[in-house]
């Protein structure tokens, strides 16, 4: 057993209102500079839709993530020889049009215009070429347009056997916030020829060394979520850094801190590094989710605690893991699911699937309706969060329904008509965390570096060039 600690996040999609506050705060903090205009480390998509960049879920096109070939795990982009042949030219790169060409407006015309018979116009101007342009696409182009033509092109709809229509009376949509998943088995790390992308040992954050990056751009198509970007100004790869300077001070990421709907939760997970490859190599893609649960360890287990201490995990990290809201929702209650687990990267950003379209069914005190009766089909949610395993989604949504029924009966005095999966205290704890949790309950992040990071910092003292306390 090789125990590692991972900072992880859960998003409750029932609470997302699509305000994009998380995107704007992240944009202003991390990508507000030349060369990064088109980058959105955090974006909010409307589903169904083709997303950002366009059709990012189509791995037949982008060759992202991992696949099992002859029983062995390998990158979809090919083996080492195939990738070496693409070293100087990788044909599977998304282009600027797949994202959008960033623009501003010619405000100088409004300011300097002389008196005229007609109102002056601030025309759009490209931030890349500085020339006038026609706006055809943008990062939020599909916002709230579930009935648009792009919704019918959603890649997840192509994998569903049922005939799902998008007529007005059958219309459904939901918001999907996306950021880098800081995976346990990141394809971007494996694909980088120069070894510039690495996973931090102390907290699992995946970063790009700007000194080590040589601009090969193999990481961009290798990431199945398309959350690695190429800076056209610096010729370097960039991605979400999980706001690691904030994490080191015990603060959540900017996107989580600024979330209006309070739908994000952050905490520590302990996992067995020795089982990561085995979990990613699960033959049945519908069972990868269960394999992921198996490698997440119980921080209250005395054996796990002893092994974690032997591995050098500090006491404050162990305490944070024991009080982690992420562990409760992911492993203890099992109400959060990973996004596109079939990519086999083992993502560490989890989602509580939306329940709001079927809450009226709870009034009748029945189990989940059939797919044909639901506003958001179970099969569609399963394509997003369970590799098509509808049974997993059914169980998660039933737990959420049970939680609402328990809390309603406490107000009305009614009796529950069926046996529940968990104890009443468990559903009450779920309600407190998912419904009325305060800031300190949603975020439990240990401040400070781990012992190994502190040792590395001491080695750098006197030569690192930073004003570190007691050195440098």
């Amino acid at each position: 057993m090789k125990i590692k600690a991972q900072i992880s996040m859960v998003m409750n999609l029932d609470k997302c209102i699509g305000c994009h506050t998380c995107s704007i705060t992240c944009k202003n903090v991390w990508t507000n500079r030349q060369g990064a205009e088109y980058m959105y480390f955090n974006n909010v998509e409307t589903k169904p839709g083709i997303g950002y960049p366009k059709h990012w879920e189509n791995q037949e096109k982008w060759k992202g993530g991992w696949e099992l070939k002859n029983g062995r795990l390998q990158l979809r982009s090919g083996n080492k020889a195939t990738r070496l042949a693409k070293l100087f030219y990788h044909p599977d790169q998304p282009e600027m049009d797949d994202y959008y060409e960033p623009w501003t407006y010619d405000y100088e015309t409004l300011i300097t215009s002389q008196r005229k018979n007609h109102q002056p116009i601030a025309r759009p101007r490209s931030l890349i070429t500085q020339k006038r342009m026609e706006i055809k696409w943008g990062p939020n182009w599909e916002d709230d347009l579930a009935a648009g033509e792009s919704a019918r092109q959603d890649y997840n709809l192509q994998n569903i056997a049922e005939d799902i229509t998008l007529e007005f009376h059958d219309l459904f949509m939901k918001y999907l916030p996306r950021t880098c998943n800081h995976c346990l088995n990141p394809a971007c790390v494996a694909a980088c020829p120069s070894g510039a992308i690495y996973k931090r040992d102390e907290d699992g954050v995946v970063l790009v060394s700007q000194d080590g990056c040589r601009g090969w751009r193999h990481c961009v198509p290798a990431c199945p979520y398309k959350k690695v970007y190429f800076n056209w100004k610096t010729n370097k790869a960039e991605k979400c850094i999980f706001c690691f300077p904030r994490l080191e001070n015990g603060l959540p990421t900017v996107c989580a801190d600024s979330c209006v709907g309070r739908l994000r939760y952050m905490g520590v997970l302990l996992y067995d590094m020795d089982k990561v490859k085995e979990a990613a190599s699960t033959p049945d893609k519908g069972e990868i989710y269960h394999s992921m649960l198996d490698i997440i360890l119980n921080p209250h287990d005395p054996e796990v605690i002893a092994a974690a201490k032997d591995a050098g995990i500090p006491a404050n990290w162990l305490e944070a893991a024991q009080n982690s809201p992420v562990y409760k929702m992911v492993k203890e209650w099992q109400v959060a699911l990973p996004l596109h687990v079939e990519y086999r990267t083992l993502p560490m950003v989890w989602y509580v699937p939306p329940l709001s379209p079927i809450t009226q069914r709870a009034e009748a005190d029945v189990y989940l309706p059939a797919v044909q009766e639901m506003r958001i089909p179970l099969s569609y949610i399963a394509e997003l969060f369970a590799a098509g395993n509808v049974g997993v989604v059914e169980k998660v949504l039933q737990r959420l329904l049970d939680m609402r029924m328990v809390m309603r009966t406490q107000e009305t005095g009614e009796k529950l008509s069926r046996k529940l999966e968990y104890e009443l205290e468990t559903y009450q704890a779920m309600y407190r965390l998912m419904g009325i949790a305060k800031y300190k309950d949603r975020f439990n992040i240990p401040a400070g570096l781990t012992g190994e990071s502190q040792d590395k910092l001491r080695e750098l003292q006197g030569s690192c060039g930073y004003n570190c306390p007691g050195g440098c």
Side-chain angles (χ1 to χ4, degrees):
M1 182 187 297
K2 186 178 181 181
I3 296 183
K4 294 288 185 182
Q6 171 77 42
I7 294 289
S8 186
M9 178 186 290
V10 170
M11 302 190 209
N12 188 349
L13 297 186
D14 252 346
K15 301 171 73 175
C16 184
I17 61 175
C19 65
H20 300 276
T21 302
C22 52
S23 300
I24 298 304
T25 51
C26 176
K27 184 72 177 171
N28 288 337
V29 171
W30 297 115
T31 61
N32 189 16
R33 61 188 179 282
Q34 192 175 18
E37 299 93 342
Y38 77 100
M39 300 181 192
Y40 276 83
F41 291 168
N42 182 104
N43 71 293
V44 182
E45 300 175 359
T46 295
K47 285 293 185 180
I50 62 178
Y52 165 83
K54 297 177 181 176
H55 306 288
W56 64 270
E57 294 161 296
N58 186 356
Q59 303 312 325
E60 283 76 13
K61 177 181 180 180
W62 301 119
K63 306 295 190 296
W66 302 83
E67 64 179 350
L68 278 182
K69 198 167 186 178
N70 299 324
R72 299 186 62 183
L73 200 64
Q74 77 167 35
L75 292 172
R76 275 184 173 268
S77 55
N79 55 28
K80 291 183 179 179
T82 303
R83 287 183 280 119
L84 182 61
K86 301 177 182 178
L87 187 60
F88 296 99
Y89 172 69
H90 200 304
D92 301 319
Q93 295 288 335
E95 300 178 356
M96 184 65 75
D97 288 342
D98 292 313
Y99 298 96
Y100 76 104
E101 186 172 357
W103 72 87
T104 184
Y105 292 94
D106 197 358
Y107 296 110
E108 193 69 20
T109 301
L110 300 180
I111 298 173
T112 61
S113 177
Q114 302 298 321
R115 179 176 293 181
K116 297 181 179 180
N117 293 331
H118 302 284
Q119 176 74 24
I121 300 174
R123 298 185 182 277
R125 188 178 295 273
S126 171
L127 288 173
I128 308 298
T129 64
Q130 306 303 319
K131 297 180 180 179
R132 287 184 177 178
M133 60 173 287
E134 182 182 353
I135 301 174
K136 297 180 179 179
W137 192 261
N140 300 327
W141 201 264
E142 299 178 302
D143 211 16
D144 300 335
L145 298 179
E149 185 60 33
S150 62
R152 304 175 189 277
Q153 302 173 22
D154 189 320
Y155 186 75
N156 299 289
L157 295 177
Q158 302 176 20
N159 299 328
I160 299 176
E162 290 85 7
D163 184 19
I164 296 178
T165 65
L166 292 177
E167 303 302 328
F168 183 79
H169 61 279
D170 294 323
L171 188 62
F172 67 93
M173 59 159 265
K174 66 184 183 64
Y175 299 112
L176 180 67
R178 293 205 306 117
T179 184
C180 172
N181 291 279
H182 298 274
C183 308
L184 298 184
N185 186 38
C188 59
V189 173
C192 180
S194 58
I197 307 183
Y198 62 99
K199 189 172 180 65
R200 293 215 310 184
D201 189 73
E202 54 266 34
D203 56 12
V205 176
V206 178
L207 299 174
V208 181
S209 169
Q210 295 298 289
D211 291 332
C213 181
R214 297 293 178 264
W216 297 115
R217 292 196 288 177
H218 279 232
C219 54
V220 178
C223 173
Y225 304 98
K226 293 297 168 285
K227 281 301 177 180
V228 184
Y229 303 88
F230 182 72
N231 188 309
W232 58 268
K233 184 68 174 180
T234 63
N235 292 329
K236 306 283 187 179
E238 297 186 22
K239 61 177 292 298
C240 161
I241 64 172
F242 232 25
C243 297
F244 73 86
R246 293 175 57 89
L247 297 181
E248 292 172 357
N249 287 278
L251 298 173
T253 59
V254 170
C255 59
D257 204 336
S258 62
C259 178
V260 174
R262 300 182 180 182
L263 62 98
R264 302 189 186 224
Y265 304 77
M266 294 192 71
V268 177
L269 292 178
L270 300 180
Y271 68 96
D272 188 353
M273 184 68 179
D274 292 335
K275 294 184 178 179
V276 168
K277 183 178 179 180
E278 179 184 351
S281 304
T282 304
D284 184 358
K285 65 179 183 179
E287 294 298 320
I288 298 178
Y289 162 69
H290 296 108
S291 300
M292 290 182 66
L293 292 182
D294 290 339
I295 67 176
I296 297 175
L297 303 174
N298 182 0
H300 303 282
D301 188 337
E303 183 180 350
V304 172
I305 294 174
K309 290 180 178 178
D310 293 340
I313 296 178
N316 64 327
W317 280 71
L318 274 175
E319 183 181 355
Q322 293 169 349
N323 298 318
S324 171
V326 175
Y327 175 79
K328 294 177 182 177
M329 301 170 76
V330 169
K331 183 68 180 281
E332 188 175 338
W333 303 333
Q334 296 184 21
V335 294
L337 300 171
L339 178 64
H340 284 300
V341 71
E342 69 272 15
Y343 298 159
R344 301 180 183 273
T345 59
L346 310 187
M348 284 292 105
V349 173
W350 306 72
Y351 295 84
V352 178
L355 181 62
S356 53
I358 59 171
T359 50
Q360 70 273 12
R361 303 292 301 193
E363 299 300 328
D365 197 19
V366 297
Y367 283 88
L368 294 177
V371 174
Q372 293 79 7
E373 300 178 36
M374 291 186 61
R375 193 69 174 229
I376 300 182
L378 284 179
S379 53
Y380 181 79
I381 300 177
E383 285 294 326
L384 282 173
F385 303 118
N389 191 337
V390 176
V392 169
V393 176
E394 285 181 346
K395 291 181 179 179
V396 171
L397 294 183
Q398 190 61 60
R399 292 175 187 128
L400 297 175
L401 266 180
D402 289 345
M403 176 192 68
R404 296 195 178 193
M405 292 181 189
V406 167
M407 300 311 298
R408 187 182 73 246
T409 54
Q410 289 187 354
E411 294 293 329
T412 61
E414 301 174 8
K415 291 185 178 181
L416 292 169
S417 59
R418 67 171 183 270
K419 185 177 179 180
L420 298 174
E421 182 180 5
Y422 300 141
E423 300 293 332
L424 291 179
E425 293 77 10
T426 300
Y427 292 108
Q428 292 168 353
M430 289 171 59
Y431 169 73
R432 284 194 297 269
L433 182 60
M434 301 172 65
I436 58 175
K438 302 297 183 183
Y439 186 93
K440 62 182 178 63
D441 300 318
R442 291 185 290 120
F443 307 121
N444 196 313
I445 303 169
L449 301 174
T450 63
E452 184 175 345
S453 298
Q454 291 173 345
D455 293 339
K456 291 179 181 178
L457 187 60
R458 294 189 188 98
E459 293 175 5
L460 293 172
Q461 285 184 352
S463 61
C464 70
Y466 292 97
N467 296 321
C468 305
C472 299

